Amino acid sequence: MSADTDVEVLRRQGRIVVVGASLAGLRAAETLRDQGFTGSLTMIGDEPYEPYDRPPLSKQALLGRARPEDTALPRRRDIDAEWRLGVAAAGLDRDAKLVRLANGDTVPYDRLLIATGTRARPWFHPEEAALDGVFVLRTRDDSARLHRKLAGAVSRVLVIGAGFTGSEVASACRELGLDVTVAERGPAPLVGALGGVIGAVADRLQRKKGVDLRCGISVTALEGDEVGRLRRAHLSDGSAIDVDVAVVSLGAMRNTEWLAGSGVAAGPRGIACDAGCRVFDVNGIVTDDIYAAGDVARSPHPLFDYQFLALEHWGNAVEQAEIAAHNMICAGPDRRPHLWLPMFWSSQFGVNIKSVGVPSLGDQLVVAQGALAEERFVAVYGYRGRVIAAASFDGAKWLGFYEQQIAAGAPFPPEYRTVDRRTETLHPIDPAFPDPHLPTHGATVTLTGHSPSERRVAFVPAHA
Amino acid sequence: MPTTVWTERRRLRSLRDRGPRRERVQMRLVVDLNRCQGFAQCVFLAPDVFSLHGGEALLFSPRFDEAQQDRVEKAAAACPVQAILVDYSDEPTKGVKPHVG
Ligand SMILES: Cc1cc2nc3c(=O)[nH]c(=O)nc-3n(C[C@H](O)[C@H](O)[C@H](O)COP(=O)(O)OP(=O)(O)OC[C@H]3O[C@@H](n4cnc5c(N)ncnc54)[C@H](O)[C@@H]3O)c2cc1C
Ligand code: SF4
């Protein structure tokens, strides 16, 4: 079926295959049906569960306020799909237009959506990673296991990496009354995502809530006892701490290995696609039958210098899936671009943290509302004289305003009249992001350069 | 607004599912927390399902049962930014492992 001419046939009787049956996959499927796609729809997912919601896994679920198995996503409508769950896609044959499954089956497609997301970066030492008491947190099962463990007799939890997930785990542990040490290689929690100025606020917050926070420190080894239970962690400053639980929160890895050799531009930084979610091949030529959405995708954004953005954001998965689905069954002129403004939330230590835009692009920062010292504020990030992002601690009601400012390319620093300031200086300061060439685990927005087929290897740290 | 259609369908489903051998009907819920502004209307209307954690962080139970249904529907309708999505489909997901735990 050629791209545009047979769109009507495609809509009526085409075969659409979605690989990755999670948030992006489900929302895409619903959109396809909503827009009148009546052909066959196959959902392939390696997890044995119907699509579920991940954000509660590090929040409500650890606190015992929701069971991890109760997080199945609500459906917007029936999707009349054939579900192939519990089996991974193992390869893509673009010539034959089919997906090969791990069990040897093949599934032919006219349009393919890749929504295979990310997985937790495992502890670098496999034997240590296998110790009883060492956890990662990405899936329903991970969350259930960790929650069970935390509910038992635990003396001290070590959280390795103070990005969003690590910080949320630490927060839940404190709320459960557990002793917790957080080891972060960077200078402060959340530094990769929000910079050192806001990181310092997160730092104070953690300590105030009783976290034994150690920044500028790596975990060098995890030590078990004779029966394989975690007992001790060794740190880069030469010290050691006795712990029986370690939660490895070193960020995510994109699930692209299954596409090796397929010729699509897929690598450790994600799958490159155009603003219409169409995947590039390694030659930088856009395909017309393969689409990508969600955590696994990276695509150019005009507001951010047309750099390819990779977003590990719930809202992005939803929006990009809708655009991809729409474009899959539309002719050229009806296609829409994915120009969503990155948006993210996290709740930890009783604070609602939100961001809009791409803070890590910021070269300057002002505190526009509230005060850092009160842990209640909105920080606005500027990039070359325009507003590029905003982040709030318990200031969600302001973010809609800054969303408009970013979209409009409003000048930075913001006009004084938009600003309610009391204690801080209004002079823009350096937001203090770590050197972008150094790896961080905190960022959930990654600027991945300009080249669609770039397959630069991501920096994989040998130590935490 | 699809709310009326939705409510009818939901009512139908609960009636149909109320057979003697059925387990209690459970419905699914998610809040788009990018949209949510912590206004807390939902917390007042369905306090067993929604709660505020600290000043403005919303926590919700992703699953609720029939006893909560009316309250959750009211909360979803009252949310000023329409951030609450309640299950719309009772289509079975073939090939899924039954619940464990
Ligand atoms: C603990 C946790 C907390 C989070 N909290 C927040 C938050 O507060 N705010 C926020 O904005 N975002 C949050 N996120 C991020 C958010 O959940 C993700 O952005 C979202 O899940 C992305 O959806 P996705 O469908 O693109 O990818 P995923 O949810 O990663 O789904 C991909 C699916 O594809 C499957 N898959 C992978 N490879 C294959 C294969 N070869 N064959 C078949 N299936 C395959 C995977 O197993 C998975 O089921 C959180 C994530 C986690 C893990
Ligand atoms: S009513 Fe809507 S905006 Fe208010 S707290 Fe509930 S979900 Fe959030």
Side-chain angles (χ1 to χ4, degrees):
Chain A
M1 219 174 289
S2 81
D4 289 350
T5 45
D6 294 325
V7 160
E8 271 319 306
V9 182
L10 174 81
R11 294 173 81 97
R12 273 202 313 278
Q13 58 197 46
R15 298 162 302 176
I16 295 186
V17 173
V18 176
V19 184
S22 181
L23 180 62
L26 175 65
R27 294 300 178 235
E30 291 166 346
T31 306
L32 286 168
R33 293 300 189 205
D34 243 7
Q35 303 208 349
F37 172 67
T38 54
S40 78
L41 183 57
T42 308
M43 306 285 292
I44 300 169
D46 60 1
E47 295 185 78
Y49 308 116
E50 64 179 306
Y52 61 86
D53 201 31
R54 293 181 203 276
L57 300 179
S58 52
K59 305 176 183 78
Q60 295 96 308
L62 293 185
L63 293 172
R65 299 221 198 161
R67 300 186 311 167
E69 58 270 30
D70 281 347
T71 54
L73 282 162
R75 307 291 178 85
R76 291 175 177 169
R77 53 163 299 129
D78 291 356
I79 57 170
D80 186 21
E82 162 138 14
W83 295 86
R84 306 288 301 260
L85 297 177
V87 56
L92 168 65
D93 183 338
R94 291 170 62 212
D95 294 325
K97 291 180 76 121
L98 51 84
V99 174
R100 269 194 311 280
L101 303 188
N103 64 6
D105 286 0
T106 54
V107 186
Y109 65 84
D110 298 308
R111 293 282 188 279
L112 173 67
L113 177 67
I114 303 172
T116 44
T118 60
R119 63 182 182 278
R121 182 184 301 284
W123 183 241
F124 66 92
H125 191 300
E127 267 167 46
E128 295 177 8
L131 288 172
D132 180 8
V134 179
F135 296 84
V136 292
L137 181 51
R138 178 79 199 170
T139 67
R140 221 179 98 164
D141 293 344
D142 292 340
S143 180
R145 273 193 295 266
L146 180 56
H147 177 247
R148 261 199 310 278
K149 182 74 182 185
L150 296 180
V154 166
S155 63
R156 177 169 291 273
V157 179
L158 170 67
V159 175
I160 307 175
F164 283 109
T165 303
S167 300
E168 288 177 2
V169 171
S171 166
C173 288
R174 286 306 300 143
E175 213 169 318
L176 294 169
L178 300 171
D179 286 335
V180 52
T181 298
V182 174
E184 163 61 43
R185 184 176 38 194
L190 311 184
V191 68
L194 300 177
V197 173
I198 307 305
V201 181
D203 185 305
R204 275 204 309 277
L205 195 60
Q206 294 212 2
R207 293 181 201 276
K208 218 165 72 183
K209 298 282 180 166
V211 173
D212 167 31
L213 175 65
R214 312 206 185 174
C215 294
I217 289 279
S218 307
V219 176
T220 51
L222 298 173
E223 182 190 324
D225 61 14
E226 57 292 339
V227 293
R229 270 188 313 237
L230 174 65
R231 279 291 163 256
R232 194 166 294 116
H234 296 269
L235 308 181
S236 55
D237 61 0
S239 64
I241 40 174
D242 290 342
V243 292
D244 36 21
V245 179
V247 186
V248 179
S249 311
L250 295 175
M253 297 167 75
R254 293 178 164 75
N255 293 318
T256 55
E257 293 80 358
W258 70 280
L259 293 162
S262 68
V264 302
R269 300 177 151 225
I271 302 173
C273 55
D274 72 359
C277 309
R278 294 180 302 178
V279 168
F280 284 102
D281 74 10
V282 287
N283 300 312
I285 299 174
V286 79
T287 61
D288 216 14
D289 50 355
I290 306 177
Y291 291 71
D295 281 12
V296 78
R298 60 188 190 102
S299 65
H301 202 304
L303 274 177
F304 308 101
D305 274 359
Y306 291 94
Q307 286 219 48
F308 280 73
L309 286 189
L311 302 169
E312 294 169 50
H313 294 177
W314 190 93
N316 180 63
V318 173
E319 295 280 331
Q320 200 169 19
E322 290 173 1
I323 298 283
H326 170 88
N327 290 346
M328 283 172 109
I329 53 168
C330 277
D334 300 326
R335 291 196 179 132
R336 294 203 296 251
H338 175 57
L339 299 180
W340 188 72
L341 260 191
M343 244 179 261
F344 183 84
W345 80 88
S346 165
S347 61
Q348 45 184 278
F349 303 104
V351 175
N352 190 28
I353 302 179
K354 286 194 159 193
S355 82
V356 58
V358 180
S360 56
L361 203 57
D363 49 23
Q364 289 190 308
L365 175 153
V366 292
V367 176
Q369 272 87 23
L372 297 180
E374 293 169 12
E375 283 131 27
R376 194 184 175 85
F377 60 86
V378 180
V380 182
Y381 297 76
Y383 172 66
R384 297 186 186 164
R386 63 188 176 96
V387 176
I388 199 81
S392 67
F393 277 42
D394 280 346
K397 64 173 187 214
W398 289 100
L399 283 199
F401 170 74
Y402 288 106
E403 192 185 333
Q404 292 164 15
Q405 296 267 297
I406 299 163
F412 181 93
E415 301 270 314
Y416 285 79
R417 61 187 159 73
T418 66
V419 171
D420 136 49
R421 53 166 309 280
R422 281 163 292 162
T423 49
E424 325 270 338
T425 140
L426 245 196
H427 289 304
I429 50 170
D430 178 354
F433 282 99
D435 180 342
H437 298 101
L438 296 174
T440 62
H441 330 298
T444 52
V445 182
T446 322
L447 295 158
T448 60
H450 292 273
S451 160
S453 57
E454 180 183 44
R455 298 169 86 189
R456 240 197 295 170
V457 173
F459 186 99
V460 180
H463 299 286
Chain B
M1 278 277 99
T3 324
T4 19
V5 187
W6 170 82
T7 309
E8 275 165 27
R9 289 177 51 136
R10 182 53 59 205
R11 290 259 147 73
L12 281 176
R13 173 184 162 184
S14 6
L15 286 176
R16 200 176 61 226
D17 285 354
R18 222 175 259 147
R21 281 177 299 115
R22 285 279 198 180
E23 41 177 324
R24 277 219 313 191
V25 183
Q26 296 261 301
M27 277 154 275
R28 297 172 285 199
L29 163 88
V30 77
V31 180
D32 180 344
L33 291 167
N34 286 319
R35 279 201 211 171
C36 168
Q37 311 230 325
F39 292 131
Q41 274 88 332
C42 57
V43 179
F44 294 118
L45 289 165
D48 292 339
V49 177
F50 304 95
S51 62
L52 278 191
H53 197 239
E56 63 164 52
L58 182 72
L59 285 188
F60 60 92
S61 343
R63 222 165 240 264
F64 61 96
D65 61 26
E66 259 177 304
Q68 294 293 331
Q69 183 180 334
D70 283 343
R71 267 169 269 185
V72 173
E73 278 172 13
K74 287 205 181 79
C79 172
V81 289
Q82 293 288 294
I84 302 172
L85 175 68
V86 185
D87 219 349
Y88 211 111
S89 159
D90 49 7
E91 185 184 41
T93 307
K94 291 159 247 154
V96 174
K97 271 195 194 164
H99 280 295
V100 276

